[in-house]
Amino acid sequence: SKMPHSIHSIHFALYPSPEEGWQIYSSAQDADGKCICTVVAPAQNMCNRDPRSRQLRQLMEKVQNITQSMEVLDLRTYRDLQYVRDTENLMKTVDGKLKTASENPRSLNPKSFQELKDKVTQLLPLLPVLEQYKADARMILRLREEVRNLSLVLMAIQEEMGAYDYEELRQRVLLLETRLHSCMQKLGCGKLTGVSNPITVRASGSRFGSWMTDTMIPSSDNRVWSMDGYFKGRRVLEYRTMNDFMKGQNFVQHLLPHPWAGTGHVVYNGSLYYNKYQSNILIKYHFRSRSILVQRSLSGAGYNNTFPYSWGGSSDIDLMADENGLWAVYTTIPNAGNIVISRLEPQSLEVLQTWDTGFPKRSAGESFMICGTLYVTNSHLAGAKIYFAYYTNTSTYEYTDIPFHNQYSHISMMDYNPRERVLYTWNNGHQVLYNVTLFQVIKTAED
């Protein structure tokens, strides 16, 4: 008897929220409940919730307090010592005069007696200084005791920490993450059935722009790139990690040799592919060597706001990558402004194959490729949904109804990342991620 098709649903929650750090979970399940692949990686800030970290923080505060006390003591004893040194000669003089007076009382006339009295008066402030010295000595004893206690607590914490090797835990998490990624890749491609709630990663830049991570599946490159604006831009900011991008720290700047047009750029295998301003030339710029590796004209493609998406912004040519490689989405005059999809050769930028979708590009809000299928949104404004899909493997299309929450009401870039299985969007000066749910039919051996 024929086995029924089993349906798999894939969820991939990569960044649930900035507060939680990252968590990864993926599940695929058939009708019989077999083939489940789920991982919940411990959140990065797990260590912050560790009670020992609170203890350590308190210790740090104590150490700071002690340090301040020591500084105060140091200043005071230095000042007092100066005073004691200055009065030393005075004491010798008084001592000498008293000796003379006691040996020879007749020599003490009113004038010299008055001088002696004056000198003794000058010595009076020495008493409080000495009192202070005694108090300081007591304080030093107390500080010494406190420091001893601190080192005992620290030793106890250290012994306890030894039982947990955080580095080893981190390695295990990374290993799980790698295994999860390969498990997900094995699950293969599927049809988009749902888009999660938006996850706002950051609010930065102007109303229009694009941001991305490397889209090549085997890559482990964690850098994030951000390109603000759609018009004549040349400045690309490169952040070390997603966390750095969220905080706006640890970035370097690339100044492109030629300005870009639109927001349809993509990073694939360490290179930025983008449309050169006021032309239909595609440029491949390599980040590490900071050089252009290739540029080639996309034959017949409209540019300079001839066939943009509905929001304009010179978005005539949209470059993207998915599980099947590198694509250009654009249109030409012979295609009457309908969306054309071309698969590109990443090294030479040659067009390998082209499809005419029949969908008017100016009516599209944005579009993105998943598993060789182009998904088109009906608008860039609030209330948008994904309502058209073109399947390159069968050269067929259908109208879909996949809603998603367009939180900031103006999307100027929307791209799928096959490595993370998330949608990257630039929404009115906000950088937003969406997780996607892919459905797939897995044929069994009997089929």
Side-chain angles (χ1 to χ4, degrees), residues 162-187:
Y164 300 88
D165 189 342
Y166 279 98
E167 193 46 43
E168 188 196 340
L169 274 178
R170 209 175 66 84
Q171 289 305 327
R172 278 166 59 190
V173 168
L174 288 173
L175 183 68
L176 276 175
E177 196 181 348
T178 317
R179 280 171 53 192
L180 171 68
H181 271 278
S182 67
C183 167
M184 281 185 53
Q185 298 317 327
K186 280 196 194 85
L187 288 170

Side-chain angles (χ1 to χ4, degrees), residues 373-427:
T373 300
L374 181 75
Y375 294 94
V376 182
T377 69
N378 62 342
S379 163
H380 61 284
L381 303 166
K385 59 185 182 184
I386 297 156
Y387 94 137
F388 180 84
Y390 186 90
Y391 306 96
T392 57
N393 56 350
T394 55
S395 300
T396 58
Y397 68 88
E398 67 172 336
Y399 285 88
T400 58
D401 187 2
I402 304 168
F404 65 95
H405 181 38
N406 182 347
Q407 195 172 354
Y408 307 103
S409 321
H410 196 291
I411 289 179
S412 57
M413 166 254 168
M414 194 170 203
D415 256 337
Y416 171 70
N417 187 310
R419 187 162 67 108
E420 297 159 357
R421 292 208 155 153
V422 291
L423 288 172
Y424 278 70
T425 70
W426 187 290
N427 194 338

